[in-house]
Amino acid sequence: MEAVLLPIMCAVPTTGRGADSRRLLSTIAQLRRTPSAFNRRAVLAAVAETELSAAAESTPASIDGRWSLLFSTQDSPASLAASPGPVQALVDATYSGFFKIAPMLAGAQADGANALARNEQFLNMTSGRVLNTVRIPLPALAGGGAALIQVHGSVRVTSEADLVDVTFERCDFSRDGADGRLSVPLPRPKGSLRTTYCDDLMRISRGGRGGVFVLIRVAPLPGKQGALAAS
């Protein structure tokens, strides 16, 4: 994790908004080195400070592009509205249980336990597409390599500029480098994502189920993700 964060921290300005971003990245690195409730609270406090620094920013960077998840948690109070129907209610309950028994797959990287897994997100707001990919290293006894879990969906900007609605459509299971995949249609579960901070290097988003997500930008979007637009 330090190998990933160090060059990013060096690129972040040490004054202004950059100071808050740098402090947040530093607290995440400390949490990865020494997982503890104290360090976890320090990360959440740094998240709140960074969000405050963005409150007066009128032109945040675009959320389009490829992002890598650094930290997430589901401990913040959920902001769920009443479920619109029994299918969505079942999905909500399933998601909650799934998060508790398999946090790596649900996107949780609160401490250092899931550092070997890679969780990336592609966002294309022009085409209205999102792709979440979890890459999980496999043990040598299983032949090595990595298992891939990819969740495809659509995104729609709401009347609030920082809030998007997400509808998940299918989940693909495959092995990195192997032919074939298992594709499972989803009952179109819906969620929301509010971006509270975004610059050229880092993004903070809060999910409708209470999750806090800190991501770093891996690559810009324009002209480089035609495959996502067609997925």
Side-chain angles (χ1 to χ4, degrees):
M1 174 54 64
E2 282 68 27
V4 174
L5 286 176
L6 183 58
I8 298 170
M9 292 174 63
C10 290
V12 175
T14 57
T15 59
R17 292 180 65 197
D20 294 312
S21 301
R22 192 181 185 94
R23 183 161 51 251
L24 173 54
L25 294 173
S26 178
T27 59
I28 291 174
Q30 178 61 33
L31 175 65
R32 289 305 181 105
R33 286 192 296 269
T34 312
S36 69
F38 177 83
N39 286 336
R40 199 160 179 252
R41 288 193 297 271
V43 170
L44 293 175
V47 165
E49 291 176 4
T50 305
E51 289 174 326
L52 284 176
S53 74
E57 179 64 44
S58 59
T59 55
S62 170
I63 64 173
D64 280 349
R66 178 183 170 197
W67 299 88
S68 180
L69 183 67
L70 287 183
F71 170 88
S72 69
T73 179
Q74 195 73 6
D75 284 354
S76 297
S79 56
L80 284 174
S83 295
V87 172
Q88 183 67 37
L90 178 61
V91 168
D92 290 344
T94 301
Y95 184 95
S96 177
F98 185 51
F99 198 101
K100 292 171 183 173
I101 63 173
M104 178 168 59
L105 306 186
Q109 294 189 187
D111 300 321
N114 301 320
L116 293 179
R118 291 177 55 190
N119 192 320
E120 293 189 351
Q121 181 182 78
F122 290 83
L123 273 171
N124 186 330
M125 297 307 299
T126 301
S127 64
R129 303 300 302 172
V130 61
L131 172 65
N132 291 333
T133 300
V134 180
R135 177 177 277 103
I136 308 167
L138 296 173
L141 290 176
L148 297 180
I149 301 174
Q150 296 182 301
V151 180
H152 300 254
S154 60
V155 291
R156 181 184 65 86
V157 179
T158 69
S159 58
E160 301 177 61
D162 61 349
L163 181 67
V164 297
D165 287 337
V166 184
T167 301
F168 299 104
E169 299 167 352
R170 79 171 194 268
C171 184
D172 294 339
F173 300 87
S174 62
R175 185 166 184 157
D176 200 7
D179 295 331
R181 67 183 180 190
L182 173 63
S183 186
V184 180
L186 299 176
R188 301 185 68 82
K190 299 181 183 297
S192 63
L193 195 67
R194 184 182 297 277
T195 295
T196 55
Y197 179 94
C198 187
D199 61 23
D200 291 338
L201 294 174
M202 189 178 72
R203 182 179 116 220
I204 301 172
S205 293
R206 291 179 177 265
R209 293 176 173 85
V212 177
F213 304 90
V214 179
L215 308 95
I216 54 171
R217 194 186 295 273
V218 179
L221 178 75
K224 298 184 180 181
Q225 294 189 43
L228 174 58
S231 67

